[in-house]
Structures are given as C-alpha cells and as structure tokens.
Amino acid sequence: MTIALGLFVTLGCMLAGYVWMGGHVAVIWQPAEYLIICGAAIGTFIVANPMKVIKDTGKGIVDALKNSEPKESDYLAVLGFLYALMREFKNKPKSEVEKHIDDPSKSSIFANYPEVLAKPDLTQFICDYARLHIMGNARPAEIEALMDEEIQTIRHDGLKPYHALHAVSEAFPALGIVAAVLGVIKAMAALDKPPEVLGELIASAMVGTFAGIFLSYAVVAPIATKLKTVREKQLHLYMLVKQTFLAFMNGAMASVAVEHGRKMISAHERPTINRVEESLTGTPEAKAA
C-alpha cells in the first residue's frame, strides 16, 4: 500500500510539474525508448543472476508490495509456540518431544500455531535447534555461535534480491543514455527534415535519459530498499527464537525465557508483557498447567 501511494505521489507530482511548466504529456510517451531501457535492464538482470535469485527477487517484490513484515500476531504466535515447546521439554520425556520435532505437520503443538507452521524456514530453524537440545551434547555457547552463523547466512541469502535490484537501479541511468543515443542517431539520419520534425525526434531521444534516471531513483531503488527492510524485519523472528532458546538452555523458566525473546523485538513493535501473558494463558498448554 505504501509503495503504491509513494509511486502515485512521485509520478503525479512529476507529471503535474511538467504540465505546469507548459509541457505536453504526449511528448514523454515514447514506448520505443521504454522498451529499450526496460528490456535491456531485464536482460542484464537475467544474465547477472542465477534462476534461484531471479525467482526469489519476484517473491521479494511481492513481499515488499504486501509489506510482509512480522505483525504483533506473528510475534505472539512464535512466543506462544516456544512457551508450549519448552513446557513439553520440562514435563515430558525427550522421546515424546522428539515426535513433535521430527514431523511438525503432525504435531499437536504446531497445529495450535498455524502462523509458525506457515513459515517453513522458521519451522525448520526451530526444529533443528530443538533437536540439538534433545541430543544434550551441545553447550549453550556452542549453540549460540551456531545460531549466529546460520542467521547471518539467512540474512545474506535473503538480501540477494536486494543487491540484484540495486545493481539494476544503478544501471538504469546508463541504459537511458543508450536509448537516448539511439534516438539521436535516428535524429541525425533525418537532418534533411524540417526543424519541427527534427526537434520532435531530438525531444523523443532525450526521453530516454529522463526515463532511465526516473526509473532508477524513483521506482526500482525505493522498491529494493523496501524489500531489504522487509527481509531484515523477518529476521527478527529468528532472533527471538535464538534468545528464547538460549535463555531456556541456560536454566531459565519457560515464562522467563519468553520474556528474553520478547526483548529482542523492536520497541515500537514489541507487544507489552501483559499482552504476552494474556496470549500465553489462553493456550491449551497453559490451561492444562
């Protein structure tokens, strides 16, 4: 929604200012110039990136357009799930807890938190470290170092689409010049034409320079930045899991460990402790306790 609003304001103000100064909108509508610029940009993007990154870039753009950042309900769901899982660790034999980890799709705990199960990568992250805890051989410091490395890897992979789009945004002004040069070549071939015709051809060529700069700084770069922001905020869920698990492994009670995790959420997005307690007391596990 914010991306659409921002693009509307940007394009609207640009066109309004152009018309206000006496320009004609029809002059800057040059489909051939836009085809050259956008086609070259898409082609170089395909050349520069593996298919996995290309597909993830499409997914990342959709995430940016939908503003798919974790909401309070997502944080509460993850905290509630971790609380339930830690109570299972405390009250049940490890063999019973392991059933939940080995097949999350059939787990009664995961079934109570579909928001967590809907995130396969996060689910796998939780299960991997819960399994390490069940094995009982790894020390908390070792697990923390391993979590840090994996989160850094997830961040690196998640930001590949941002770097790909950023490279395209930097290329757009140069591609605009390419389109403009081709337009000038066309104009030079028509030097025998009347001045009004020649002027129209030169104006059409200059649209390429305008389009390249506009698409770079007003369209692609902002979308890339939004994609980066969304992906980095999605990492907060992993940081929450990490901090909660480490507190529990170091001997904290489940409710205290959850508070450790809550503190990892950004202050302006963090649910209050009362809100978390209300959420936890409403879970089947808490009622059974």
Side-chain angles (χ1 to χ4, degrees):
M1 181 62 183
T2 55
I3 290 180
L5 177 61
L7 291 177
F8 175 78
V9 171
T10 301
L11 186 61
C13 290
M14 183 272 295
L15 291 176
Y18 176 68
V19 171
W20 194 357
M21 69 174 64
H24 300 282
V25 176
V27 176
I28 62 176
W29 176 241
Q30 302 294 333
E33 297 280 335
Y34 297 117
L35 177 63
I36 293 170
I37 297 169
C38 295
I42 293 172
T44 54
F45 172 76
I46 293 173
V47 170
N49 298 284
M51 186 55 65
K52 185 175 181 179
V53 174
I54 293 173
K55 291 180 179 179
D56 194 32
T57 301
K59 182 177 181 297
I61 292 173
V62 172
D63 287 343
L65 292 173
K66 294 170 61 178
N67 195 30
S68 301
E69 300 173 358
K71 308 296 189 296
E72 182 181 272
S73 59
D74 296 310
Y75 291 122
L76 291 174
V78 174
L79 288 172
F81 170 79
L82 293 175
Y83 178 80
L85 185 61
M86 289 183 294
R87 290 191 64 83
E88 288 286 307
F89 274 124
K90 188 175 182 62
N91 299 325
K92 301 285 182 65
K94 290 184 178 181
S95 58
E96 291 189 24
V97 181
E98 195 169 7
K99 295 177 182 178
H100 298 288
I101 304 304
D102 290 339
D103 193 354
S105 62
K106 296 181 180 179
S107 166
S108 59
I109 299 179
F110 275 101
N112 291 327
Y113 300 93
E115 300 93 338
V116 178
L117 200 57
K119 298 177 175 60
D121 292 339
L122 181 65
T123 297
Q124 189 61 51
F125 182 82
I126 294 172
C127 290
D128 286 346
Y129 291 99
R131 191 173 290 109
L132 281 177
H133 181 64
I134 290 174
M135 293 169 61
N137 295 324
R139 291 174 292 186
E142 295 172 343
I143 293 179
E144 180 177 10
L146 187 59
M147 281 182 164
D148 287 337
E149 288 294 332
E150 183 169 358
I151 290 173
Q152 185 61 30
T153 299
I154 293 171
R155 182 180 187 277
H156 179 266
D157 290 341
L159 291 184
K160 284 181 180 179
Y162 160 73
H163 294 297
L165 284 178
H166 186 68
V168 171
S169 74
E170 290 184 331
F172 259 115
L175 295 176
I177 293 174
V178 171
V181 170
L182 291 174
V184 170
I185 292 173
K186 178 184 175 183
M188 292 298 100
L191 287 178
D192 58 336
K193 302 293 182 181
E196 58 271 15
V197 174
L198 188 59
E200 182 178 344
L201 291 174
I202 294 175
S204 299
M206 297 307 297
V207 169
T209 303
F210 150 75
I213 296 173
F214 181 81
L215 290 172
S216 173
Y217 295 107
V219 179
V220 179
I223 291 176
T225 301
K226 182 64 176 181
L227 186 156
K228 179 182 180 182
T229 301
V230 169
R231 287 289 172 89
E232 288 188 332
K233 286 192 174 183
Q234 288 173 350
L235 280 178
H236 291 179
L237 293 174
Y238 292 85
M239 299 297 295
L240 183 156
V241 171
K242 169 197 163 186
Q243 201 62 33
T244 303
F245 259 146
L246 290 176
F248 181 70
M249 291 176 185
N250 282 310
M253 296 185 300
S255 57
V256 176
V258 164
E259 178 61 14
H260 279 252
R262 188 183 74 89
K263 288 296 185 180
M264 294 302 299
I265 304 171
S266 299
H268 64 283
E269 299 172 341
R270 184 188 304 152
T272 64
I273 188 169
N274 291 334
R275 183 76 181 87
V276 173
E277 288 179 353
E278 289 174 4
S279 175
L280 295 182
T281 54
T283 63
E285 294 78 8
K287 292 178 180 178

